[in-house]
Amino acid sequence: MIISKHRAFRRNIRGSLPAALAIVLAMGALTGTPVSARAQQPPVNLGNARSYAVMAGTAVINTGLTRVVGRLGVSPGTSVTGFPPGFVFGRVHRGDSEAASAMADVVAAYADIAGRAPDATVQSELGGTAMAPGLYESAGGGFTINGTLTLDAQGTPGAVFIFRADTLTTAGVSNISLVGGAQENNVFWEVDSATLGTYSVFRGNILALKSIMVGAGAVLHSHALAINETVIIQGTPRRPATHLALPDRPSTTTTLTSSLNPSTAGQAVTFTATVQAITGSIVPTGRVIFRDGSTIIGVARHGSGVPAVFTTSSLAVGAHQITAIYLGGKTAVNEAWINFAPSVSPVLIQTVNS
């Protein structure tokens, strides 16, 4: 049933796309990598579309106060209306070669996802649930979010979440929470059409075959990409404005040291993780997990001037691949917040002798 559905899915897409884009789609569908239920989904490449907060096939239509942070593009159409009163903090591309290149990469990403096998079929209502990384299809044909959906990367910042359905609808004031190192750029929603409710908070990349509707006061972190039709944005009559923005999470690095290497079985070994921002002097704060291979062996907090420290005397004889993973987090700075990105330390080989 799934295979036949995907074949029909791809046939319908080809019939509704310009010929050149259909060729890109066919190529992408053939190269999509099926995975088993226990395999990690490979990354999805948005290519030149990565710098676009909004992309539509025919038109972008805005009413009211809206902030778009990132590029805005239309291809093959050229219509962009409602700016002002909306504001775009980035370049606007109306049917030019740059927009066409970005749209081709959106189609290729869509095809990649369409060619993958699902890890699980789940209930349509995602609100109130916590999901691990993987590719999920809807048992009812669509996904809805009422309340909060939690996406848990389980300590793997590069973990990929994909939700594939006919429709996506979020309720007013609904929310998506990212924990365990999950990142907006690694969350993908492949649908025919999507509607974001008023004042909802949405995280992840929407790849819609047809259209996207963003309700008044909604906040979307990442990309709104509609291949064939429109992106419609309902702004607000007054501030705060409807907000669509590319993720802006400053990069970090994590280093790891051992107090005693090699050590002897039963000896206490202290691992120290230090997290730094790639640029600037602000020290990232938040949780750090320590792993032995794929097994979490400890958790500690990294603070300003206080590295994350974990001590254990339970390591068995042998060589251990120890890593420290900073899960990202908000750091208070002058009555504001900086939301730092996760990072993973290089592997430290801890040798334990008998």
Side-chain angles (χ1 to χ4, degrees):
M1 290 296 290
I2 291 173
I3 294 175
S4 62
K5 176 184 177 182
H6 288 174
R7 286 174 178 167
F9 195 35
R10 291 194 290 269
R11 284 198 301 270
N12 291 337
I13 296 170
R14 291 193 188 98
S16 58
L17 288 173
L21 296 186
I23 292 173
V24 174
L25 178 58
M27 294 174 63
L30 290 174
T31 58
T33 305
V35 296
S36 68
R38 295 184 179 180
Q40 180 176 333
Q41 288 288 331
V44 177
N45 183 13
L46 290 178
N48 291 324
R50 188 167 294 280
S51 62
Y52 286 77
V54 177
M55 169 67 69
T58 59
V60 176
I61 303 168
N62 176 73
T63 58
L65 295 178
T66 296
R67 289 169 51 92
V68 176
V69 182
R71 293 188 180 188
L72 183 151
V74 181
S75 180
T78 60
S79 178
V80 177
T81 59
F83 298 93
F87 290 92
V88 180
F89 296 85
R91 294 185 62 185
V92 176
H93 296 271
R94 298 175 173 88
D96 58 18
S97 60
E98 291 188 54
S101 176
M103 180 59 82
D105 287 342
V106 173
V107 173
Y110 192 101
D112 174 14
I113 294 174
R116 300 187 186 192
D119 294 324
T121 300
V122 297
Q123 64 186 24
S124 297
E125 175 54 56
L126 296 175
T129 66
M131 310 293 285
L135 194 163
Y136 300 96
E137 287 191 335
S138 168
F143 280 123
T144 58
I145 303 176
N146 291 277
T148 297
L149 164 64
T150 300
L151 303 180
D152 186 354
Q154 301 177 337
T156 305
V160 174
F161 299 79
I162 298 174
F163 296 87
R164 191 166 61 197
D166 296 331
T167 59
L168 166 66
T169 305
T170 71
V173 203
S174 60
N175 180 45
I176 296 177
S177 175
L178 304 182
V179 300
Q183 301 187 74
E184 292 93 342
N185 279 336
N186 295 325
V187 180
F188 296 87
W189 301 83
E190 182 174 275
V191 295
D192 279 357
S193 60
T195 301
L196 304 187
T198 57
Y199 295 102
S200 60
V201 176
F202 190 87
R203 304 179 192 277
N205 309 291
I206 303 176
L207 281 71
L209 180 61
K210 296 179 181 178
S211 62
I212 299 171
M213 168 74 79
V214 181
V219 176
L220 188 155
H221 296 281
S222 214
H223 305 78
L225 310 170
I227 293 174
N228 281 334
E229 298 179 9
T230 60
V231 174
I232 299 174
I233 308 169
Q234 297 177 338
T236 58
R238 61 185 64 85
R239 298 184 185 280
T242 305
H243 188 75
L244 295 83
L246 301 178
D248 182 18
R249 306 186 72 183
S251 299
T252 63
T253 60
T254 299
T255 57
L256 178 64
T257 60
S258 169
S259 64
L260 184 65
N261 195 10
S263 60
T264 302
Q267 280 188 306
V269 178
T270 297
F271 296 106
T272 301
T274 303
V275 184
Q276 293 178 308
I278 294 292
T279 59
S281 58
I282 304 301
V283 177
T285 61
R287 288 198 309 159
V288 174
I289 65 174
F290 296 85
R291 274 184 169 171
D292 181 357
S294 60
T295 302
I296 297 175
I297 58 175
V299 181
R301 180 169 179 78
H302 190 276
S304 180
V306 183
V309 176
F310 169 68
T311 301
T312 180
S313 57
S314 301
L315 296 177
V317 173
H320 298 262
Q321 294 187 344
I322 309 298
T323 53
I325 300 97
Y326 170 60
L327 299 181
K330 293 183 178 180
T331 300
V333 181
N334 297 328
E335 299 183 356
W337 295 93
I338 297 178
N339 191 14
F340 285 102
S343 57
V344 182
S345 74
V347 174
L348 184 154
I349 304 298
Q350 177 71 37
T351 302
V352 180
N353 297 322
S354 58

